[in-house]
Amino acid sequence: MKVLSIQSAVAHGHVGNSAAVFPLQRIGVEVVPVYTVNFSNHTGYGAWRGPLIAPSDVADVLTGVEERGVFPQVDVVLSGYQGGVGIGDVIVDAVRRVKAANPSAVYACDPVMGNAKSGCFVAPEIPELLRDRVVPVADIITPNQFELGYLTGTEPDTLESTLASVDAARAMGPSTVLVTSVERPDREEGTVEVLVADDAGAWIVRTPMLPFKANGSGDVTAALFTAHYRSTGEARVALERTVSSVFDLIENTYRSGERELRLVESQEVYANPRMQFTAERVR
């Protein structure tokens, strides 16, 4: 499998491609990383250095990759945080060209906008760009529950309303929707859930909620789920493998007392997930 991953990069820590590339490589996936920013660290620190890469430069790198004959080999285009409208246009154009070269390729978009606690933390034009131009061309999207609500103009909270919001998202274009950070009133206290739906049905996994904010864990989740789903064709299996690996990654980080993901130290949990969580079919 070959993944063209168009995301940010940081020198210190693990977000964007700096979070997604190594776990993919550890499970045997060839990754072609294209960077949209090159920062010293993620912006959650409140201060950082380094450049936003101009959309024209990102497009130039992609053209160079295309000229090497890589696009027909690409199975998945993966994108995450989009710093500006111009990058979104570059990504959509790259998806079009990859699919022209390899009609079986899929596009997986993590529509990063914000979360329930912080609200939207991207530029004001990004949510509309994602909703109106990017998500409709995606095959797989991996929003959190808050982002799912924004994309669909709904307020998912119960299982039923979240499934209805997923159906609305699938009607926009993507055939597969993975929803992270699902919190519903009737769930067991101290837990959080992840839900996935595709043409075959819908499944949900519940895990303990760790008292820890792990920047980059969503990037790892989107990458691993997409790769597992692409290789198995089964949403349930991909969900169980991904959640098992990511929970152990976050738990290892929490126990370490460090702020940044223990991405390298946790490599065995990507290659051989414990499969400690079982997905429940909900539709």
Side-chain angles (χ1 to χ4, degrees):
M1 187 188 308
K2 184 169 285 187
V3 174
L4 175 64
S5 184
I6 310 170
Q7 300 195 56
S8 59
V10 293
H12 168 66
H14 302 289
V15 298
N17 267 335
S18 301
V21 171
F22 178 66
L24 288 173
Q25 292 171 330
R26 190 62 180 83
I27 64 172
V29 174
E30 184 72 32
V31 187
V32 182
V34 175
Y35 303 134
T36 56
V37 309
N38 188 14
F39 287 166
S40 56
N41 50 270
H42 69 70
T43 59
Y45 285 92
W48 64 94
R49 294 179 181 270
L52 286 165
I53 300 175
S56 59
D57 289 334
V58 178
D60 203 32
V61 171
L62 286 162
T63 297
V65 172
E66 183 179 29
E67 290 171 345
R68 302 288 77 77
V70 175
F71 279 12
Q73 305 166 13
V74 172
D75 300 291
V76 176
V77 179
L78 176 66
S79 72
Y81 171 77
Q82 298 184 18
V85 173
I87 292 294
D89 291 335
V90 169
I91 291 170
V92 169
D93 183 61
V95 169
R96 178 187 60 79
R97 287 151 57 193
V98 166
K99 288 192 170 189
N102 179 12
S104 68
V106 299
Y107 171 38
C109 170
D110 185 8
V112 179
M113 291 182 282
N115 56 59
K117 293 182 176 63
S118 305
C120 275
F121 50 63
V122 296
E125 64 270 18
I126 295 300
E128 291 186 8
L129 165 74
L130 289 167
R131 182 191 64 205
D132 299 336
R133 291 155 58 189
V134 179
V135 166
V137 304
D139 301 287
I140 301 166
I141 60 172
T142 60
N144 59 39
Q145 192 176 30
F146 170 84
E147 292 162 341
L148 174 67
Y150 183 90
L151 288 171
T152 57
T154 61
E155 296 184 2
D157 52 5
T158 65
L159 177 59
E160 292 73 20
S161 62
T162 301
L163 285 169
S165 298
V166 165
D167 289 339
R170 295 183 72 229
M172 296 168 65
S175 59
T176 304
V177 178
L178 177 79
V179 188
T180 61
S181 301
V182 175
E183 299 182 27
R184 49 182 172 136
D186 58 343
R187 77 186 190 283
E188 183 180 339
E189 186 176 355
T191 64
V192 66
E193 296 169 318
V194 184
L195 181 147
V196 68
D198 66 0
D199 291 340
W203 295 264
I204 199 164
V205 166
R206 179 180 301 155
T207 75
M209 181 185 288
L210 296 171
F212 178 74
K213 180 183 178 183
N215 292 94
S217 58
D219 302 318
V220 177
T221 299
L224 287 178
F225 174 80
T226 299
H228 288 315
Y229 186 58
R230 178 68 173 177
S231 64
T232 67
E234 296 187 38
R236 177 189 59 81
V237 173
L239 176 65
E240 291 175 344
R241 288 182 182 177
T242 300
V243 170
S244 293
S245 295
V246 174
F247 178 83
D248 281 349
L249 167 63
I250 297 173
E251 187 173 47
N252 289 345
T253 304
Y254 176 63
R255 288 179 174 176
S256 76
E258 297 290 335
R259 176 170 182 171
E260 295 288 349
L261 289 176
R262 300 294 90 189
L263 196 80
V264 176
E265 296 90 329
S266 300
Q267 60 182 287
E268 189 62 23
V269 308
Y270 322 135
N272 297 293
R274 286 193 294 145
M275 304 303 289
Q276 69 270 42
F277 302 112
T278 301
E280 173 192 355
R281 190 178 189 112
V282 291
R283 190 165 64 191

